[in-house]
Amino acid sequence: MATKNENQGPGTEKHEGFGWWRVLGRAVLSVVLGLLLALVVPTRFTEEMGAQTIARYAAPFSGYWFDHERQGEIASAPPNEWSDRDITVLVIDSAALEAHGEGWPAHYSFYSWLLSYLDRSPPKGLFIDVILSQSTHHESDGCDKPAKSTGVKKAKPCHVVNDSEDIVGFKRAITRLIANKKPVFLAAVLNKDDTAGTNRDLDGDPELSTVKRVGIEFSAHAVDRLAWTYPLAYLVKVQCDEQIPRDDQREECKGEKKNTPAPGCMFSAAYSIFKYVYDKDKKLDVPCNKASFMSVTWPLDTAAYGLRWRESDDEESEIRHKLWFLRTDRFDQDLQMYCTSSDSKLKLLWRAEARAILRPTSRPLCVHYRTIHASQLEQMDDDERDAAFRDRFVMIGTAFAYSNDLVLSPLQDRIPGVFLHAVALDNLLSRHSELEDIEAWEPELSMDASRWRKLLFLGGLGFVVMLLIVAGKKTAREKFKKSYHERRHWKTRCSAAFWRAKGATAIFNAAFFAISGLALVTFGVAMIVIGTRIHVPFLVVAHVLACTIAVEWLDWSEDLFNWMTDSKEKSS
């Protein structure tokens, strides 16, 4: 029960002592204000400094639990259906291009050479994450096939010209896979007629009609700048030209609405692969009348054979070498690699979390998926090729250190874009029992009841924890005030006791601010991990938490509560 302080200040202000009703009121205000700010304030306002930071702290824990849950899904899946190493990434590197006298983009003959190794070790399926838009010789505009290259050339605006034999050889390599019942997926873009395609030579070939054209475009969400969401379906819109008479336009453009949804949509690479290769029971059906996205969790575990990039000589690496004593990966065998790896997931968790807090303390984690560089193919024996490709789903992409086909992972930093499709497919495979909950969403007033239940559950849990944090903060302040009052012997401002008291107060305030901030961030990370377990997109949780933590850490709830109740805490 609150007790009224006899020594009231000037005026009519009331000073209240410790009371649970005050603690309860402040905790409620912190949670309510956090929810309101998350719903009302534009997402970009708080995301950069708050939500994204907390989500980055939580990513290593989410990845750790994801690896753990995947093992359970594999154990419950039918035998030989899939495994945690079912995906192999084959990357085109500069050394392979140079060895074959190729620039970029490469000729079809180069892809035929790559696919010849898959003939020897047939994969479960193939996805080429490169837009094959190269022209043939009859479309030539002056570009010639290079006889020898001393390095990787930049793409010329005139496009690479292929001989007829080049594209015929490539088609033959694709049809061999199809004949062996190996599904093939090609990266595609939307044409002017709103169909997905590569180029007319490939799209018009009847032998390649069974090859799926899939979408690969990815635009980082305004909040999600680290590739934590992934598209499942792209909404196809008819682009209507108002300057063309209505009777001369397509049927969809004759109505009043412009840019109306087209009858179909284009599926993304990961969803198409999952749908046509793995989802035999049709557990996931994405509608075609709207764009849809899924939440992505990046695995923590690393592959024994990963991306063979070397560490860059940049400012971060210089700082990392200066802070040698703080590095969590200083005992790695190969410190020249761009990434760190370990057989212990707890070590990886510690290194990833240390890097999330202070980047120079560790290099990024290595990729999770077995990665073969094209320049390695000729040195591999049959057993090594079988282990890498046979009955694995193979994704072909590029691995140029300086390229526009790079994505940002919260654990692996900058990596080739093909790994985003790999991790999205891995998420689909690893969530057989909860596929209906994979969609990414943000908090809105008009949400489904199931989403409100999840959000309210997290809100209730967060309220209980916030109540304990507020009570702990209040108790610590009260104890310090009591100790401070008992030792106020000093009367002279310049006495040693005066400066000791002031110094103790300053140390307490700084430590209190830091410890309360650490407790709140720990609370935020735990809430994101719990939210991930019940399939609430963690950027949603992070956004609410960023507002809630700001309200409590900066004591806005205390000031508002005092204003609403016309009272103040017992003064010192």
XYZ file of all heavy atoms in Angstrom, residues 323-330 358 360-362:
106
model
N 42.307 -5.487 -32.408
C 41.614 -5.967 -31.208
C 41.742 -7.483 -31.085
O 40.766 -8.190 -30.796
C 40.144 -5.556 -31.259
C 39.861 -4.057 -31.300
C 38.367 -3.800 -31.399
C 40.428 -3.374 -30.055
N 42.937 -7.984 -31.315
C 43.183 -9.420 -31.306
C 42.745 -10.061 -29.987
O 42.157 -11.144 -29.966
C 44.670 -9.678 -31.537
C 45.063 -11.117 -31.462
C 45.591 -11.791 -30.397
C 44.942 -12.084 -32.506
N 45.812 -13.090 -30.699
C 45.428 -13.312 -31.998
C 44.489 -12.037 -33.811
C 45.463 -14.469 -32.759
C 44.518 -13.196 -34.567
C 45.002 -14.381 -34.045
N 42.978 -9.397 -28.873
C 42.681 -9.969 -27.561
C 41.175 -10.101 -27.315
O 40.746 -10.861 -26.445
C 43.309 -9.114 -26.451
C 42.829 -7.691 -26.439
C 41.804 -7.288 -25.612
C 43.408 -6.746 -27.285
C 41.358 -5.975 -25.607
C 42.966 -5.429 -27.286
C 41.936 -5.044 -26.452
N 40.353 -9.371 -28.090
C 38.905 -9.444 -27.921
C 38.241 -10.428 -28.879
O 37.053 -10.721 -28.738
C 38.268 -8.056 -28.132
C 38.545 -6.994 -27.081
C 37.899 -5.678 -27.485
C 38.010 -7.437 -25.712
N 38.994 -10.947 -29.830
C 38.383 -11.773 -30.861
C 37.981 -13.138 -30.323
O 38.755 -13.803 -29.620
C 39.345 -11.938 -32.041
C 39.547 -10.670 -32.835
C 40.425 -10.895 -34.044
N 39.890 -11.908 -34.949
C 40.424 -12.180 -36.132
N 41.508 -11.515 -36.535
N 39.887 -13.091 -36.916
N 36.780 -13.556 -30.683
C 36.289 -14.866 -30.265
C 36.726 -15.971 -31.220
O 36.584 -17.147 -30.894
C 34.752 -14.849 -30.192
O 34.225 -14.515 -31.484
C 34.269 -13.822 -29.184
N 37.255 -15.599 -32.401
C 37.672 -16.600 -33.395
C 39.181 -16.627 -33.577
O 39.674 -17.114 -34.591
C 37.002 -16.306 -34.739
C 37.382 -14.935 -35.296
O 37.934 -14.110 -34.524
O 37.136 -14.681 -36.486
N 39.931 -16.129 -32.589
C 41.381 -15.965 -32.778
C 42.130 -17.294 -32.848
O 43.291 -17.325 -33.261
C 41.962 -15.100 -31.665
C 41.768 -15.623 -30.263
C 42.333 -14.632 -29.229
N 42.144 -15.055 -27.867
C 41.055 -14.818 -27.148
N 40.051 -14.162 -27.700
N 40.956 -15.240 -25.905
N 29.417 -6.323 -31.182
C 30.586 -5.536 -31.589
C 31.236 -6.245 -32.783
O 31.884 -7.279 -32.615
C 31.570 -5.398 -30.424
C 32.788 -4.503 -30.660
C 32.365 -3.051 -30.913
C 33.738 -4.547 -29.469
N 33.898 -6.079 -34.786
C 35.299 -6.521 -34.906
C 35.671 -7.714 -34.041
O 36.768 -8.245 -34.173
C 36.093 -5.275 -34.478
C 35.165 -4.122 -34.651
C 33.822 -4.674 -34.332
N 34.777 -8.171 -33.148
C 35.140 -9.290 -32.285
C 35.132 -10.629 -33.010
O 35.648 -11.614 -32.484
C 34.180 -9.380 -31.081
O 32.830 -9.480 -31.562
C 34.314 -8.146 -30.199
N 34.559 -10.688 -34.200
C 34.538 -11.948 -34.931
C 34.248 -11.690 -36.405
O 33.628 -10.692 -36.765
C 33.474 -12.896 -34.362
O 33.393 -14.088 -35.120
